[in-house]
């Protein structure tokens, strides 16, 4: 059955440079530099990427960074904790906006 | 007998030719001896399909022929592997004899077989002959280790590492070398060796007070039990493609097969333990060590097979 998401499309990522090669080059250069070992290790960056991938719910990124985390030596316990960090921030972001709700409600209420 | 060929994978030999590369022997410095397929574990990544049900072990007669060949070959290193070498009758005496003909000995152990009472004489021999140990310790989490290697392995491994440390293995300033071998828990490439060593050193010391000399990350070889799992799980094509995509020409000069010779439990010679597992003989026909006057000369071509991609991926196979 056709679907918008095909796992094989991940291997075609670089084809986005077809009609804007210079912009693609800049993006992939930047992307490579971001994930290079720096103040954070490649392993730490892969775990952050995995958490963000789940936050933006990008299946390509989840596929790529699950593999990257495993290849960087992370295990499922660490990867699951990274997801909970993302989940906690998402949940927290929802709930902290409740302060706005309360302020507005208090202003409008007798 | 060779590897089954995933349809879209360029044969390793073609990949070398296309790049103007070749795979030939250098000076033969190491003799790797696979003393048998009997093992107390049946690890899911085992390229040899070793396990408790295997009966293939090196006989006393073959051991004598191997020692004689080791003497003829003037090797710098003798590397003992299995299966579980600890379970092979006469292994301690075999090591003692080999230590007379080679300056350095290395024993590969799964840690669990080294803990049994039958292994005590071997352990004492290892200490007295200063045999370096390369031990399997694939993860820092119990669940991950046991999913790969079986129930009960985690605690036995930790206990044996502590015991080895108590004997002086892996301690700073000690000449008793204790190296950890870490392989991925599935169809993906190994982590960076330097970063992994740093993490294991920190965590093993902090959590269990364990120290070691060095750590080696190993790539899972698409052969034997692991190959079957790859096929059953539908990971075979993608895994082989990942290995091929990670081909690094810079690994060629340092490949193990260039400087070593592997001997099987029944005394036949191979370029490496992986060709041994795949049944790819050294040269045109199967050769026994008793019929080999000396190691192959530098420049001798090495057989290429698709599992060779595992040794040339990324930083290469140690």
């Amino acid at each position: 059955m056709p679907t918008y998401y095909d796992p094989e499309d991940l291997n075609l990522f670089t084809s986005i440079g077809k009609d804007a090669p210079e912009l693609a080059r800049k993006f992939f250069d930047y992307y490579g530099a971001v994930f290079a070992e720096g103040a954070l290790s490649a392993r730490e960056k892969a775990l952050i990427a995995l958490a963000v991938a789940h936050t933006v719910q990008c299946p390509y990124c989840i596929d790529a960074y699950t593999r990257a985390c495993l290849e960087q030596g992370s295990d499922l316990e660490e990867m699951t904790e990274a997801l909970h960090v993302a989940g906690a921030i998402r949940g927290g972001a929802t709930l902290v906006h409740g302060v706005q709700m309360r302020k507005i409600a208090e202003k409008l209420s007798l | 007998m060779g590897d089954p060929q995933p349809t879209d994978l360029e044969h390793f030999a073609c990949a070398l030719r296309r790049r103007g590369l070749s795979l030939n022997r250098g000076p033969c410095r190491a003799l790797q001896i696979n003393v048998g397929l009997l093992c107390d574990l049946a690890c899911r990544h085992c390229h040899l399909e070793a396990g408790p049900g295997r009966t293939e072990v090196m006989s006393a007669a073959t051991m004598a022929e191997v020692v004689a060949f080791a003497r003829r070959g003037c090797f710098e290193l003798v590397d003992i592997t299995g299966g579980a070498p600890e379970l092979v009758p006469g292994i301690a005496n075999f090591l003692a004899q080999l230590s007379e003909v080679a300056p350095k000995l290395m024993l590969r152990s799964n840690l669990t077989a080294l803990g049994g009472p039958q292994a005590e004489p071997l352990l004492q021999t290892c200490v007295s002959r200063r045999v370096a140990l390369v031990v399997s310790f694939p993860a820092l989490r119990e669940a991950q280790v046991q999913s790969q290697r079986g129930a009960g392995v985690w605690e036995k491994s930790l206990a044996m590492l502590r015991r080895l440390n108590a004997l002086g293995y892996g301690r700073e300033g000690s000449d008793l070398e204790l190296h950890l071998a870490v392989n991925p828990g599935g169809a993906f490439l190994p982590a960076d060796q330097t970063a992994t060593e740093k993490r294991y050193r920190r965590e093993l010391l902090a959590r269990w007070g364990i120290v070691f000399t060095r750590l080696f990350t190993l790539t899972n070889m698409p052969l034997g039990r692991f190959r079957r799992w790859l096929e059953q799980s539908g990971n075979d094509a993608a895994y082989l493609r990942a290995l091929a995509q990670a081909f690094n020409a810079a690994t060629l000069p340092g490949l193990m097969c260039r400087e070593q010779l592997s001997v099987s439990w029944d005394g036949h010679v191979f370029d490496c333990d992986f060709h041994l597992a795949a049944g790819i003989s050294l040269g045109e026909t199967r050769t026994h060590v008793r019929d080999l006057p000396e190691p192959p000369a530098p420049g001798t071509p090495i057989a290429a097979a698709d599992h060779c991609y595992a040794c040339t991926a990324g930083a290469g196979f140690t």
Side-chain angles (χ1 to χ4, degrees):
Chain A
M1 197 174 85
T3 169
Y4 283 109
Y5 286 122
D6 179 350
E8 289 302 314
D9 287 351
L10 184 55
N11 299 320
L12 305 175
F13 190 4
T14 52
S15 70
I16 59 116
K18 206 170 174 184
D19 294 303
E22 189 51 23
L23 289 175
R25 190 190 61 76
K26 284 176 193 270
F27 172 76
F28 286 116
D29 284 352
Y30 164 74
Y31 195 97
V34 164
F35 281 96
E37 197 92 10
L40 292 172
S41 68
R43 183 170 166 270
E44 289 164 334
K45 287 178 180 182
L47 282 166
I48 293 168
L50 183 74
V52 174
H54 282 76
T55 305
V56 299
Q57 293 178 340
C58 165
Y60 301 120
C61 310
I62 291 168
D63 185 343
Y65 284 97
T66 298
R67 184 176 298 273
C69 282
L70 290 169
E71 289 184 350
Q72 292 294 341
S74 294
D75 55 43
L76 270 171
E77 197 177 332
E78 293 167 314
M79 290 155 70
T80 306
E81 275 190 27
L83 261 57
H84 278 288
V85 171
I89 293 295
R90 284 198 90 154
T94 301
L95 292 173
V96 75
H97 282 78
V99 176
Q100 288 187 30
M101 173 195 75
R102 300 196 72 80
K103 281 182 174 175
I104 293 163
E106 281 165 12
K107 188 180 176 185
L108 296 175
S109 300
L110 288 169
Chain B
M1 184 164 72
D3 299 329
Q5 185 84 358
T7 48
D8 61 343
L9 187 76
E10 182 182 27
H11 193 282
F12 186 76
C14 301
L16 290 182
R17 269 200 302 276
R18 186 168 54 80
R19 293 171 170 94
L21 302 167
S22 59
L23 187 54
N24 299 311
R25 288 188 155 275
C28 198
R29 300 182 200 282
L31 178 66
Q32 185 172 61
I33 306 164
N34 192 314
V35 291
L37 306 181
L38 174 64
C39 189
D40 58 321
L41 305 179
C43 298
R44 297 171 72 193
H45 67 280
C46 185
H47 62 276
L48 287 153
E49 304 196 65
R54 302 301 295 259
T55 55
E56 303 95 326
V57 292
M58 191 172 275
S59 67
T62 303
M63 283 179 181
E65 287 165 327
V66 171
V67 170
F69 176 69
R71 189 176 289 110
R72 292 198 295 279
C74 301
F75 296 99
E76 294 170 22
L77 169 72
V78 171
D79 174 358
I80 311 291
T81 188
E86 300 91 331
L87 304 181
V88 177
I91 189 69
N93 188 47
F94 184 46
L95 250 70
Q97 288 178 41
L98 287 166
S99 73
E100 303 294 333
V101 297
K104 184 162 184 179
L105 254 62
M106 185 186 280
L107 175 71
R108 295 176 190 248
S109 168
N110 66 14
L111 282 174
T112 56
L114 205 51
Q118 85 294 334
E120 200 54 34
L122 173 65
L123 206 46
Q124 297 310 320
T125 302
C126 287
V127 172
S128 65
R129 307 280 171 156
R130 315 323 264 177
V131 177
L133 296 176
V134 180
V135 302
S136 308
F137 196 77
L140 291 164
R141 300 276 187 277
E142 180 175 0
Q144 202 176 329
V145 167
Q146 299 201 153
S147 76
Q148 198 170 312
R149 304 183 66 214
V153 170
W154 173 253
E155 284 302 333
K156 285 180 183 172
S157 298
L158 285 179
M160 183 44 66
L161 285 173
R162 286 197 197 96
R163 170 93 201 278
L164 291 171
N165 279 173
L167 288 168
Y169 268 101
R171 295 204 168 278
E172 203 172 345
S174 166
D175 64 343
L176 290 168
E177 295 174 19
L178 175 62
H179 306 300
L180 303 189
V182 175
N183 66 288
F188 47 91
L189 298 178
D192 173 77
Q193 186 165 285
T194 306
T196 305
E197 181 175 303
K198 199 170 160 186
R199 191 160 59 91
Y200 270 61
R201 202 176 291 288
R202 188 181 61 236
E203 290 204 35
L204 280 172
L205 183 61
R207 291 158 68 182
W208 300 289
I210 289 165
V211 292
F212 60 91
T213 313
R214 282 202 62 195
L215 177 145
F216 301 110
T217 54
L218 312 176
T219 306
N220 286 329
M221 196 53 57
L223 289 167
R225 200 174 286 131
F226 185 65
R227 180 70 180 231
R228 218 169 39 252
W229 174 80
L230 284 171
E231 287 163 359
Q232 285 166 353
S233 61
N235 280 303
D236 50 337
Y239 183 65
L240 282 159
R241 193 167 56 232
L243 294 179
Q245 282 171 344
F247 177 85
N248 175 8
T251 60
L252 284 181
L255 288 180
M256 282 189 306
C257 56
R258 296 195 65 246
E259 298 197 334
Q260 73 160 33
L261 190 67
S262 278
V263 183
S264 62
W265 64 272
D266 58 355
H268 291 93
V269 291
F270 299 84
D271 284 308
C272 66
D273 202 52
F274 310 121
H275 279 14
L276 184 159
I280 300 168
S281 292
L282 176 77
E284 299 297 307
T285 54
R286 270 165 70 85
T287 307
H288 198 278
V289 279
R290 78 170 80 88
D291 304 319
L292 202 61
E294 58 187 6
T300 306
I302 296 167
D306 289 335
H307 57 254
C308 297
Y309 277 122
C311 288
T312 55
F317 204 110
T318 312

